[in-house]
Amino acid sequence: MELYAKREECCGCGACLNVCQARAIRMVRDKEGFDYPHIDSSVCVRCGRCKKVCPIENYTSEKNCNQYLGARAKDEKIRYSGSSGGVFPILAGYVLERKGVVFGAGYNDHMEVIHREADDLSQLKQIKRTKYVQSNMQKIFLDVRRRLEEERWVLFCGTPCQVHGLRLFLDREYDRLIVVDLVCYGVPSPGIWKDYVAYLEKKHHGKMTDFSFRDKRNRDHGHSRSFVINDKEYTESIYGDPYCMLYFRNYTLRPSCYQCRFCTVERSSDLTIGDFWGIEKCRPDMDDGMGISMVILHTDKAKKIWEQVQRDMDWFECKKEDLLQPRLIMPVGTAKRRRLCMTLYGKLPFSLFIRLMRF
């Protein structure tokens, strides 16, 4: 059985891995640093479950009665600790207050980006902030279902393809499940990220313990990045960071991202969140350089929850046109030099590769 014919037909969400009761599927990293499912034909029972949970193969266009908002947390500490306006930690707090759990992307001890579980505020700190890396989902969908079957509140946050994969995997509605997806530019290679971490650790003679892609200390809309190695912090403009520049030039995105069907305001989530691009035109009085979140409420559940959390935010209702941005309309375009970039990545020492690709 084949799960996909072309690499563009797999988003790497891991739903197939989670649903396979025969344990016939494992994720294998390719030469570009992305993980793809591989089926062991000697173990596979050909039940077809893996096909049924693929978010690309089973894509459906949702028709929601959307409500469009701009929002920011009233608490400055909450805004500073996140990448946009602080909506995610407020939603997470709503769930944690009800003894629930939150699932999102965070670093492990090796600075790999993985989806992980948080059931208190200290753990929540690990999964806040944007990570420009495709997260390793492992068997997180199974953990989500287990928590739901324990009748606990669950907040799951991920890319729209991950969210759709989760919906297909669960195959039913849960009253205590809140699903949030992100306005996703595209997911960069975890293999290249791993090599970049090793490159920085070698350069600075130590172990990295944190990396912030959207540092807000300069009140510049998160256009700074910082990382910590051996308790020493290094900061500069995000546009001077070679890994980030490869990302912004569209060189290191997963092949499926260039054909993404989820670049629309219609989603299978309860809420969509992201940076409010154009806030300086729509509401200049709220543009203070610390980030504003755009929020799309898709479901009645989302609207009811919003009524309970909105007291912690400054927010306003707006029109769809006010918050539209490119990744809510169409996928990112393939970079002309992407093939060259990936060829060089596969053949050159990483230190030489990163120097060449800076120009």
Side-chain angles (χ1 to χ4, degrees):
M1 177 180 292
E2 281 192 355
L3 285 170
Y4 56 91
K6 298 183 294 184
R7 292 164 66 247
E8 293 85 347
E9 297 171 353
C10 175
C11 65
C13 71
C16 54
L17 172 71
N18 282 259
V19 83
C20 182
Q21 297 180 1
R23 298 182 181 178
I25 299 176
R26 60 188 178 94
M27 303 300 283
V28 178
R29 186 150 292 183
D30 75 349
K31 61 183 180 181
E32 293 185 351
F34 294 103
D35 295 327
Y36 288 85
H38 173 78
I39 297 179
D40 185 342
S41 58
S42 67
V43 179
C44 177
V45 296
R46 291 167 177 77
C47 65
R49 289 190 178 95
C50 54
K51 287 277 192 178
K52 293 179 181 178
V53 298
C54 175
I56 292 182
E57 184 158 322
N58 298 281
Y59 170 79
T60 55
S61 179
E62 304 291 331
K63 296 295 181 182
N64 303 309
C65 185
N66 294 328
Q67 186 175 358
Y68 304 96
L69 311 169
R72 66 185 186 191
K74 291 180 179 178
D75 188 328
E76 284 278 303
K77 292 181 180 179
I78 292 177
R79 289 183 70 198
Y80 184 80
S81 66
S83 295
S84 298
V87 171
F88 171 70
I90 287 177
L91 291 171
Y94 174 89
V95 170
L96 294 179
E97 286 173 3
R98 288 156 178 78
K99 308 300 181 182
V101 295
V102 181
F103 292 89
Y107 299 117
N108 65 10
D109 292 340
H110 304 290
M111 291 301 294
E112 297 168 320
V113 178
I114 64 170
H115 251 70
R116 57 193 301 175
E117 177 180 337
D119 62 7
D120 60 37
L121 291 176
S122 63
Q123 293 176 355
L124 179 64
K125 183 179 179 181
Q126 304 300 317
I127 61 175
K128 292 193 291 186
R129 300 183 304 176
T130 295
K131 282 88 177 175
Y132 293 149
V133 190
Q134 180 166 33
S135 62
N136 184 341
M137 299 294 285
Q138 306 170 87
K139 293 192 175 182
I140 210 72
F141 291 171
L142 290 168
D143 294 335
V144 170
R145 186 172 64 187
R146 176 167 52 86
R147 294 306 189 190
L148 290 168
E149 290 175 349
E150 294 171 353
E151 298 187 353
R152 298 181 70 177
W153 279 88
V154 171
L155 171 64
F156 179 89
C157 183
T159 64
C161 55
Q162 291 171 340
V163 161
H164 198 53
L166 174 65
R167 292 286 202 195
L168 292 167
F169 170 80
L170 294 174
D171 196 30
R172 57 158 289 194
E173 292 292 329
Y174 289 87
D175 291 339
R176 295 189 174 187
L177 172 65
I178 306 170
V179 181
V180 177
D181 66 12
L182 308 167
V183 180
C184 178
Y185 185 84
V187 290
S189 163
I192 292 178
W193 167 249
K194 181 179 180 180
D195 289 336
Y196 187 54
V197 171
Y199 164 80
L200 291 176
E201 290 181 335
K202 182 177 180 180
K203 179 180 178 180
H204 296 287
H205 311 288
K207 179 174 174 54
M208 184 183 293
T209 53
D210 191 33
F211 195 106
S212 175
F213 287 96
R214 301 284 302 280
D215 193 298
K216 292 184 177 181
R217 72 187 67 192
N218 296 322
R219 289 183 173 264
D220 59 355
H221 299 279
H223 291 168
S224 302
R225 74 96 179 96
S226 63
F227 60 85
V228 177
I229 292 180
N230 283 4
D231 296 324
K232 182 177 179 180
E233 187 178 51
Y234 301 84
T235 65
E236 71 171 317
S237 166
I238 195 171
Y239 302 109
D241 184 274
Y243 175 88
C244 293
M245 290 312 300
L246 288 173
Y247 171 55
F248 294 141
R249 291 170 181 167
N250 304 344
Y251 291 160
T252 58
L253 302 183
R254 191 179 182 94
S256 61
C257 295
Y258 303 106
Q259 300 180 15
C260 179
R261 297 181 180 181
F262 299 95
C263 293
T264 171
V265 296
E266 307 299 344
R267 305 286 182 93
S268 59
S269 62
D270 294 304
L271 304 91
T272 296
I273 60 175
D275 289 319
F276 199 125
W277 292 12
I279 187 65
E280 70 280 358
K281 298 177 182 178
C282 177
R283 286 291 301 271
D285 58 303
M286 297 187 73
D287 182 24
D288 61 358
M290 285 289 287
I292 303 291
S293 296
M294 54 131 287
V295 183
I296 306 176
L297 307 179
H298 298 295
T299 63
D300 290 338
K301 180 193 296 184
K303 293 169 185 177
K304 289 178 182 177
I305 292 170
W306 188 260
E307 290 176 357
Q308 298 178 64
V309 301
Q310 64 186 20
R311 66 181 181 276
D312 296 322
M313 291 178 277
D314 297 317
W315 66 282
F316 60 93
E317 193 163 359
C318 61
K319 299 177 182 178
K320 179 173 73 173
E321 292 74 19
D322 294 328
L323 53 68
L324 273 182
Q325 50 185 274
R327 299 295 77 79
L328 290 173
I329 301 171
M330 65 182 69
V332 66
T334 305
K336 294 181 179 179
R337 298 176 65 192
R338 184 186 187 278
R339 180 176 295 181
L340 173 62
C341 173
M342 288 302 184
T343 298
L344 293 176
Y345 170 63
K347 293 184 177 182
L348 297 178
F350 190 80
S351 57
L352 177 57
F353 163 75
I354 209 73
R355 287 201 299 272
L356 286 175
M357 296 307 297
R358 289 191 74 140
F359 303 102

